[in-house]
Amino acid sequence: MNRIRLYCIAVLMAAAECATAGGLLTNTNQNIAFLRNPARDAAIGIDGVYSNPAGVIFLGEGFHLSLNIQNAHQTRTIQTTSPLFVNNATNPGHQLHVFEGKADAPIIPSIQAAWNKDKWSFQFGFAITGGGGKCEFDNGLGSFEQEVAGIPYKPVEQSNAMTLMNLLYDGLARINPTLAGHKMGDGYAYDSYMRGRQYYYGFTLGTAYKVSENLAVYGGVRLLYGSANYYGYVKNIQVEHINNSNSEMVAASQHFSEQALKFSEYAGMLEQMGKTDEAKSIKKGATLSTALSQNTQDIELNCDQTGWGIAPIIGIDYHTSKLNLAAKYEFKTRMRLKNKSANSLSAENLSMLDSYADGEKVADDSPALLTVGAQYSILPSVRVMAGWHHFFDVDTKQYTKDMLGDSNEYLLGAEWDINDIVQVSAGGQRTKYNFNDEGMNDISFNVSSYSLGFGVGVNVTEKVKINAAYFQTFYDDYNKGVDANGVTNSFTRTNRVIGIGVDLKL
């Protein structure tokens, strides 16, 4: 029954990412220019401090600054089907249960700044590079309900317990009717809640150098600081308690405690009758019931995690009057988050969860990223662009090659200067994850998607530009195959982002 506790805490530890675009732990929407048109990998602009840092040198001399605010809303929906869900006392008769989490990031700020002088560009960037919001599952997740729903069937999986139960229910009635009549039905009930918050604060420092009139290179470093909090509980686990044909819902810990007492009394009777071998078997039932009583108590989790990591970034840009080509490589950031926990004793006393105990460290790497892009000016006022992102997810600590391959993104976009004041742009992105069933569960899942963004830029003056945009992601459905218990899961999300920003040239 340690599995009940394990699944419970795993649910509560589910990440509360509010990532709007990018890899497993990488937000690529770090400027409003990206929301207007995500294909920015070879664009020349101040947002290039993130997307194309080598190309920033071609902006010209002076100080360039971009200030941005985004608002993101995301939902995660898991549809879980289990034959045992029909026994849920609060939602009886339905095999399909829907679990929805809502993730909101009211304010996602970012800053990009560059000072260009002669052949040099000195750059700074700040953004929420991973996570970015709070996610709540008001009714927990289906993986834990599966465990709770299986409690009435757990005893039959261990120590010939079905035989023990038959001896208890039938044998007690023959030997001592006053001890009989105690059974467990199929019904169950529980209360569950999870809230998670996760932020990865990214700081970049770097320098671009113009090798020639057409070629520039970049070198920099990225510092990530991760901060997360997880709060949740699983309480009031109940089972159907049958006593002399009368059924009621009672606390599971109480039911199993009474059952352990009856097993012990029955074992004592058998010993008095000289049936020591049968008594030993019944004592195993008492031990099992005691464990069940302990492991169905309330569990509460309150865990803070913090940690940091640093990694280099390199880039290159080739620029002509009509064509621009660029590439960037961000190295993997090794992250180890340290726990500061105030968990309930029922959680702390479970050795299987030592990795979430106070003071422990959790691996949470940010994957390496390669981006390649091209931009071409069809007319002086019209530009088209394309890009490709490759996330080296397999090399991080969270997953294994048996669970997934690397992720890829494909981007297209266009930009039109209507006149000297107004500029419009739009673009799309296809994000393709390479998960298999082993890497997909309701605790952590990513599904492939299409994203569309559009927006406008307004040159208020020669030195001030306002950007506004809307970005919508349309997610695929991932239908996981039927497992050995007849359980199926379907995963999907929704996501939208709006943003406004200002670019300044000083």
Side-chain angles (χ1 to χ4, degrees), residues 211-339:
V211 179
S212 68
E213 288 303 311
N214 302 106
L215 182 66
V217 294
Y218 171 87
V221 294
R222 175 188 57 209
L223 171 68
L224 289 185
Y225 177 78
S227 174
N229 171 264
Y230 305 97
Y231 171 77
Y233 57 78
V234 178
K235 298 180 178 180
N236 303 324
I237 298 175
Q238 299 179 0
V239 296
E240 184 181 6
H241 180 84
I242 301 174
N243 189 17
N244 293 322
S245 300
N246 296 319
S247 174
E248 63 176 332
M249 300 300 295
V250 302
S253 58
Q254 173 189 335
H255 173 90
F256 290 117
S257 177
E258 293 179 6
Q259 182 171 282
L261 178 61
K262 287 182 176 291
F263 270 122
S264 298
E265 292 175 341
Y266 187 26
M269 294 178 187
L270 292 173
E271 287 177 334
Q272 291 177 2
M273 298 167 61
K275 298 180 178 182
T276 55
D277 290 338
E278 290 184 32
K280 289 180 181 179
S281 296
I282 300 303
K283 286 182 179 179
K284 292 180 181 179
T287 301
L288 172 61
S289 297
T290 299
L292 289 166
S293 177
Q294 294 173 348
N295 286 285
T296 52
Q297 296 175 5
D298 292 349
I299 301 174
E300 185 174 13
L301 177 80
N302 191 355
C303 179
D304 290 305
Q305 293 182 332
T306 56
W308 64 277
I310 192 168
I313 305 171
I314 55 176
I316 188 170
D317 186 281
Y318 180 77
H319 180 68
T320 68
S321 60
K322 289 189 175 183
L323 177 67
N324 199 72
L325 303 173
K328 178 188 66 169
Y329 183 77
E330 302 182 16
F331 289 77
K332 179 181 76 173
T333 306
R334 182 183 182 275
M335 294 283 288
R336 297 296 180 267
L337 303 180
K338 187 174 181 179
N339 296 338

Side-chain angles (χ1 to χ4, degrees), residues 402-419:
D402 296 332
M403 299 169 66
L404 81 165
D406 293 335
S407 302
N408 290 281
E409 291 182 330
Y410 309 92
L411 308 99
L412 292 171
E415 192 171 62
W416 176 31
D417 300 329
I418 297 177
N419 50 45

Side-chain angles (χ1 to χ4, degrees), residues 159-168 282:
S159 306
N160 296 317
M162 178 59 82
T163 300
L164 297 178
M165 293 296 179
N166 288 337
L167 285 171
L168 176 65
I282 300 303

Side-chain angles (χ1 to χ4, degrees), residues 22-24 388-396 399-410 430-441 444-449 476 478:
L24 300 182
W388 172 61
H389 300 165
H390 183 83
F391 295 89
F392 296 85
D393 297 318
V394 172
D395 293 333
T396 63
Y399 298 88
T400 69
K401 292 181 179 180
D402 296 332
M403 299 169 66
L404 81 165
D406 293 335
S407 302
N408 290 281
E409 291 182 330
Y410 309 92
R430 171 60 170 168
T431 300
K432 186 66 176 177
Y433 294 109
N434 193 18
F435 277 98
N436 57 35
D437 281 2
E438 291 297 321
M440 293 290 289
N441 56 70
S444 178
F445 70 88
N446 289 274
V447 289
S448 299
S449 63
D476 298 347
Y478 186 99

Side-chain angles (χ1 to χ4, degrees), residues 439-460:
M440 293 290 289
N441 56 70
D442 57 3
I443 298 169
S444 178
F445 70 88
N446 289 274
V447 289
S448 299
S449 63
Y450 292 92
S451 297
L452 296 175
F454 60 89
V456 60
V458 178
N459 294 309
V460 180

Side-chain angles (χ1 to χ4, degrees), residues 90 138-140 144 189-193 233-238:
T90 58
D138 291 336
N139 298 310
F144 181 63
Y190 72 106
D191 296 324
S192 182
Y193 171 80
Y233 57 78
V234 178
K235 298 180 178 180
N236 303 324
I237 298 175
Q238 299 179 0

